[in-house]
Amino acid sequence: MPEGPSILILKEAAQKFIGQTIVSAKGNAKVDMHLLTGSTFKEYRIYGKQSFLVLNKAVIRIHLLLFGSYSVDEQTKPDRQLRLHLKFENGDLYFYSCSVKVLEKKILKEIDWQADVLSDEWKPAKAKKKLKILPKEMVCDVLLDQSIFSGVGNIIKNEVLFRIGVHPESLVGNLPPKKLNALIFEARNYSFDFLRWKKEYVLKKNWLAHTKKICSKCGGPITKKHTGTTNRRSFFCEEDQKLY
């Protein structure tokens, strides 16, 4: 599943279409293509793993789900995977194997943009306040909670916990203040590292825990386990990541 930094790269790729009129809209998504045609693309907003293409008439919400993708100016996947094709005078925007919904613009007022770890509006104090009321939750679960850390996915989760030396099954309420602050700080900090490495095509080369078998710190084994109520894969070192 694409994580927040990958969606930000998508947003940057689509910037040339801002202010342009949609000449035509096609695809097998179950939306009113006629409503989109003739609309002006006003703004591209992201909230974690979701894209919001703001038009003058409505909002298109795109979620790439597990296997979704996109392309600009060239169709790279077959028609059966093409959910939405937006044609502009200066190019084309394609979305494949993803969720496409057309929503009313009021949806933008209902979103907590301050929860997006890559946003200029990100508020770490607000994230801490949300965590304080979840003392019995595992850190592996809260990091994936999009209402707290919007944009954080499983890769970021594993790498953040390895960086700060915290076992994924640790309980939020048991974390020392310094570790709690480190968790919040690195959720955003690592996301920007992810973004930079993704653009440089060296993301996997910089993984220290995710999918690894040997710990880069102590040389011991990396444990692979499905953890928490989210039941997502965690990769961690029993020696270097403390269980609180």
Side-chain angles (χ1 to χ4, degrees):
M1 176 185 290
E3 304 190 27
S6 298
I7 306 304
L8 182 53
I9 292 173
L10 162 56
K11 174 186 175 181
E12 292 172 351
Q15 286 303 298
K16 72 172 188 173
F17 302 123
I18 300 299
Q20 298 293 311
T21 298
I22 299 173
V23 177
S24 66
K26 301 178 181 178
N28 56 28
K30 295 180 180 180
V31 300
D32 185 355
M33 299 295 177
H34 295 293
L35 175 66
L36 306 183
T37 302
S39 295
T40 301
F41 189 6
K42 294 287 192 179
E43 184 182 11
Y44 198 126
R45 302 197 69 175
I46 60 173
Y47 177 67
K49 304 174 186 181
Q50 302 178 72
S51 293
F52 293 88
L53 284 62
V54 183
L55 313 180
N56 57 321
K57 299 177 182 179
V59 174
I60 306 172
R61 190 192 73 179
I62 305 288
H63 196 306
L64 295 183
L65 305 174
L66 285 173
F67 305 108
S69 61
Y70 69 93
S71 62
V72 176
D73 293 338
E74 179 183 1
Q75 183 174 338
T76 57
K77 298 290 177 66
D79 286 345
R80 68 177 182 276
Q81 296 182 32
L82 181 59
R83 299 292 180 265
L84 182 64
H85 168 204
L86 298 177
K87 184 174 185 59
F88 302 89
E89 289 187 359
N90 65 337
D92 301 84
L93 185 57
Y94 302 87
F95 295 99
Y96 314 96
S97 304
C98 61
S99 170
V100 179
K101 292 186 178 181
V102 176
L103 307 171
E104 295 181 14
K105 295 182 74 171
K106 65 180 183 180
I107 189 68
L108 300 175
K109 297 180 180 180
E110 300 171 2
I111 296 172
D112 181 9
W113 302 102
Q114 295 176 341
D116 189 322
V117 295
L118 289 168
S119 171
D120 291 338
E121 299 177 55
W122 161 254
K123 297 293 184 183
K126 196 168 185 178
K128 180 183 283 191
K129 185 176 180 180
K130 292 176 181 178
L131 291 172
K132 289 287 189 179
I133 63 175
L134 298 171
K136 300 299 182 182
E137 297 292 322
M138 292 184 181
V139 293
C140 61
D141 288 329
V142 296
L143 273 172
L144 295 177
D145 187 333
Q146 298 301 292
S147 69
I148 306 174
F149 298 107
S150 183
V152 170
N154 209 46
I155 297 171
I156 297 175
K157 176 203 78 178
N158 287 324
E159 293 297 309
V160 165
L161 292 176
F162 184 78
R163 273 190 176 186
I164 67 174
V166 172
H167 191 289
E169 295 177 316
S170 298
L171 300 184
V172 173
N174 291 347
L175 292 181
K178 286 186 178 180
K179 289 296 183 182
L180 183 63
N181 290 334
L183 180 79
I184 297 168
F185 173 80
E186 284 298 344
R188 177 174 168 87
N189 186 49
Y190 185 84
S191 293
F192 278 102
D193 285 342
F194 184 120
L195 177 64
R196 184 178 73 257
W197 292 329
K198 182 81 172 177
K199 288 181 176 181
E200 296 171 354
Y201 303 100
V202 294
L203 177 61
K204 290 185 178 181
K205 292 181 180 180
N206 284 282
W207 287 349
L208 298 178
H210 188 72
T211 71
K212 298 299 182 180
K213 295 183 179 180
I214 303 298
C215 176
S216 59
K217 291 182 179 179
C218 69
I222 287 286
T223 299
K224 174 186 174 182
K225 181 181 179 181
H226 286 76
T227 59
T229 57
T230 51
N231 199 36
R232 299 293 301 279
R233 292 188 307 166
S234 287
F235 296 87
F236 56 96
C237 176
E238 301 273 6
E239 182 68 25
D240 291 299
Q241 292 175 251
K242 184 176 179 178
L243 178 63
Y244 290 94

